[in-house]
Amino acid sequence: MKKHVAALMVLFAAASWSMLFAGPEDDRMAFEKYFTSKFPETPKHDFINGIYSIDPPSREQWLEIEEFPPYELSIDAGRSAWEKPFANGKGYADCFGDGAVRGQYPYWDSGRKEIITMELAINECREANGEEPLKYGKGKLADISAYMSFMSRGQKINVIIPEDDPDALAAYERGKQFYYSKRGQLNFACIDCHGSGSGNLVRADRLSPALGHVSHWPVYRSKWGNMGTLHRRFGGCNRQVRAASFKPQSPQYRELELFLTYMSNGLEYNGPGARK
Amino acid sequence: MMKKTILLSVLALVLSFSQVSANAEFEAAWKAADEKRMEAAAVGYEWRDTKKFLKQAKEAAEQGDLDKAMKLVAKAHEQSEDAITQQAREVHLWSSRVIR
């Protein structure tokens, strides 16, 4: 009898431990299952199309927009910038090869103990070659990002959290905590809108599911009237719930990007994109 | 005539002192509210409009509307207190929302 009680206690402790301290891969599988169960009509690979993967009327409009995509000018501007050499004669190709590198970002740099995003790497490439860094969020940096994303279309999202680096796991956990924490005067967490609330209407707009959220950046947003990066959107989301936003490429948003991108591991990058 | 002049001077002096005192009270309240805002920002939980309310309070005070200025300062202070409480609560509650 004592043996049975002890065995049950061990089982209970193990179950509690896994509930409380699930690793990134457990998180991702649960995340994916949640959305594929919530929207059974949507094939898993289609979640990269955001709201258009779950809302047929919006999808029809979007497909029409995609015939003459509003982000094309940005890709062209990015390509021109890509081809123009820096003052030292080198160029982006010296840092990124043919530019098809979106699938390598974001990643945890164990030496620097920080998360490197593609937009951060673009500016680091510039600075390493004696050029001024570009403003994050929109403009020229978004154009170069759009060109590189276009070149990377079809690459798989494959974020790796090194198991032997507790700092990497801590950064992932901070991003996860940010995602699930309520903030701002309206007291909303990211997951409130894009998890349980996904598919619901907010005024005239339907909320998109979080799975695949990171795949299609930068985005031409009709509301902005121009291109913007993922971190620009993070800031907008925070301000919508009346929280002060963080700066693009701040540690907070890089951690958020790491977590959210990990959640979409296995899906394809399909940026740049067009959204309402 | 002399008495009237003295009386008016004293009155002006009293009014001037009370204005100085009200301004000092506003400045102290504004500083306290801004410190509270920075406390909320330090834990990553500043709310969107708090800084705007503090700016509007300064403008109202400069235009002599201390009543409006004090109300805005009180609103900003309260927002930051709520934000700090929100952060302390979320440290414990966020994990309950994780998709498992």
Side-chain angles (χ1 to χ4, degrees), chain A residues 19 180 182 184 187 242 244, chain B residues 44 46 48 86 90 97 100:
Chain A
M19 284 280 282
Y180 287 106
K182 289 180 185 287
N187 202 37
R242 298 188 194 167
Chain B
E46 183 183 349
R48 185 190 68 185
Q86 184 182 44
E90 285 304 302
R97 293 183 206 105
R100 294 189 169 91

Side-chain angles (χ1 to χ4, degrees), chain A residues 19 30 34 177 180-185 187 239 242-244 246, chain B residues 44-49 79 86 89-91 94 97-100:
Chain A
M19 284 280 282
Y34 177 84
Q177 181 172 352
Y180 287 106
S181 296
K182 289 180 185 287
R183 57 184 65 244
Q185 192 182 2
N187 202 37
R239 288 191 295 278
R242 298 188 194 167
F246 295 90
Chain B
Y45 265 72
E46 183 183 349
W47 287 4
R48 185 190 68 185
D49 299 331
Q79 277 210 342
Q86 184 182 44
R89 194 179 59 227
E90 285 304 302
V91 166
W94 74 270
R97 293 183 206 105
V98 173
I99 293 172
R100 294 189 169 91

Side-chain angles (χ1 to χ4, degrees), chain B residues 6-55:
Chain B
I6 291 170
L7 199 63
L8 279 173
S9 302
V10 168
L11 195 62
L13 206 61
V14 167
L15 279 174
S16 155
F17 275 134
S18 83
Q19 186 64 32
V20 168
S21 161
N23 277 336
E25 191 187 343
F26 166 75
E27 289 298 337
W30 193 94
K31 190 165 174 271
D34 197 42
E35 280 169 2
K36 192 57 79 177
R37 179 190 66 77
M38 287 191 278
E39 210 181 304
V43 292
Y45 265 72
E46 183 183 349
W47 287 4
R48 185 190 68 185
D49 299 331
T50 313
K51 203 184 272 185
K52 181 178 77 182
F53 291 147
L54 287 170
K55 187 170 176 254

Side-chain angles (χ1 to χ4, degrees), chain B residues 58-77:
Chain B
K58 277 265 187 210
E59 287 164 2
E62 279 162 16
Q63 287 163 11
D65 192 345
L66 277 181
D67 190 39
K68 183 181 174 187
M70 287 300 277
K71 278 180 186 162
L72 283 162
V73 163
K75 197 151 90 170
H77 200 281

